[in-house]
Amino acid sequence: MFKFGSGPAMLIHQDDDTWTALSAVCTHLGCTPSYQPDKKIIYCPCHGGIYDPRTGANISGPPPKPLTEYKVRIANGKVTVSRT
Ligand code: FES
């Protein structure tokens, strides 16, 4: 988890060694969902919303749309996250 602009975001290291950066602001009512690596889901504790940790797609519960995905670049051992 990290702060990105004015809100929280999450950076997930996938099993295939790729990275995914997503907004951590639930698209339902704005709670903070978190990655649950044991279940391979992103879970929002407020109303049980579930998102796909690779794409941010809303897959269960009340969230009406996906989490915003950010661009991840890896260079010289540094991870950079940006909106574009
Ligand atoms: Fe996340 Fe309602 S605020 S499921």
Side-chain angles (χ1 to χ4, degrees):
M1 299 292 288
F2 62 100
K3 188 168 181 178
F4 188 70
S6 60
M10 63 185 89
L11 181 66
I12 300 169
H13 190 190
Q14 307 289 349
D15 290 340
D16 63 0
D17 208 28
T18 60
W19 296 80
T20 303
L22 299 164
S23 165
V25 178
C26 184
T27 61
H28 180 222
L29 293 176
C31 288
T32 305
S34 61
Y35 181 47
Q36 297 191 344
D38 53 325
K39 297 178 183 169
K40 302 248 188 258
I41 60 169
I42 295 170
Y43 178 73
C44 181
C46 290
H47 311 100
I50 297 176
Y51 298 91
D52 183 313
R54 183 168 289 279
T55 65
N58 47 317
I59 55 177
S60 180
K65 59 183 183 177
L67 296 171
T68 300
E69 184 171 7
Y70 301 126
K71 187 121 183 156
V72 180
R73 292 185 194 90
I74 311 286
N76 302 320
K78 291 187 178 181
V79 178
T80 303
V81 176
S82 63
R83 292 186 194 281
T84 57

